[in-house]
Amino acid sequence: MKKGLLAIVFPFILLLSGCFSDPVQDDLLNYVNKEMKQPGKLEAAAISAYESETGANYQDDQKLYDVLTKKVIPTYNEFIQELNSVKIETDELKEIHKIYMEGANIQYKAFVKIKQALEAQDPAMIQEANDMLADAKVHILEYKTKLNQLAKEHNVKFN
C-alpha cells in the first residue's frame, strides 16, 4: 500500500516542483554567476587601465595614447566579443542585456575616438568622445537599474 501511494505521490511532487520553476530566475542566476564572469573581468581591466591615465591620473597625451592603444581598446574589444557570446534564454533578460551592449559599443567607439583625437590633436573630437562616454554611462546605468529591478521581481539577490 505504501509503495503504491509513494508511486502516485512522488511523480505528483515532481510535477508540482516543475510548476514552481522560474525560468527568468534561473536565467538571471546563470547570467550573473557564469555568463558575465569573464566579460566582467575584461571590462574591469579595460576601465581600470583607462582610469589609470585619465582624470587626476592624467600625465600626458602620449601615455594616454599608449594605454588606449595597447590595453584599453584591445581589452574592451575582447569584452564586447564576450558580451556578444553570452547565452541568455529569456526575452526579459535579452532586452536588458541589449541595453548593456548598446552602452558598451558606444563606450568602445568613444575610446577609439579619443585615440584618433590624440593622433589629430583635435580638442573637438575629445569633446565628442566625452559626450559619447556620458551617453554610454546612461545606457550602462539603465542596464544596471533594469537588471536589479528584474532580479527583485524574480527574487534574486546580488552580492
Side-chain angles (χ1 to χ4, degrees):
M1 175 78 177
K2 285 184 181 180
K3 284 185 181 181
L5 185 60
L6 195 59
I8 295 170
V9 173
F10 186 67
F12 184 70
I13 291 171
L14 284 177
L15 184 65
L16 280 178
S17 68
C19 293
F20 295 118
S21 177
D22 181 350
V24 175
Q25 184 183 58
D26 295 343
D27 204 20
L28 271 166
L29 290 168
N30 182 61
Y31 179 79
V32 172
N33 293 324
K34 292 181 184 167
E35 294 294 326
M36 290 301 291
K37 263 195 169 159
Q38 183 60 23
K41 289 176 186 176
L42 290 168
E43 181 186 33
I47 298 300
S48 176
Y50 178 73
E51 290 175 347
S52 75
E53 294 299 330
T54 58
N57 297 320
Y58 175 81
Q59 293 177 21
D60 60 57
D61 285 356
Q62 187 61 50
K63 287 185 180 183
L64 176 57
Y65 181 84
D66 289 344
V67 81
L68 281 166
T69 305
K70 295 175 185 171
K71 183 72 177 169
V72 176
I73 292 172
T75 305
Y76 210 84
N77 185 45
E78 189 178 350
F79 159 64
I80 288 176
Q81 290 174 12
E82 288 286 328
L83 277 184
N84 282 322
S85 69
V86 167
K87 292 173 185 66
I88 302 170
E89 300 295 324
T90 57
D91 291 339
E92 297 92 335
L93 189 53
K94 284 179 185 176
E95 286 301 312
I96 292 170
H97 185 75
K98 184 178 171 185
I99 296 166
Y100 194 28
M101 291 290 307
E102 290 168 2
N105 282 309
I106 293 167
Q107 189 151 284
Y108 176 77
K109 289 174 184 171
F111 291 145
V112 171
K113 187 169 282 287
I114 292 168
K115 177 183 169 259
Q116 293 167 343
L118 291 170
E119 290 168 347
Q121 288 296 296
D122 185 342
M125 283 178 73
I126 292 286
Q127 186 56 52
E128 274 182 61
N130 285 336
D131 293 344
M132 292 168 73
L133 288 173
D135 186 28
K137 190 175 184 176
V138 168
H139 279 78
I140 293 168
L141 183 59
E142 179 184 2
Y143 157 79
K144 288 178 181 178
T145 301
K146 288 188 174 189
L147 185 67
N148 285 326
Q149 182 180 2
L150 187 65
K152 187 176 181 181
E153 289 170 8
H154 292 273
N155 238 3
V156 174
K157 294 183 180 170
F158 300 132
N159 292 335

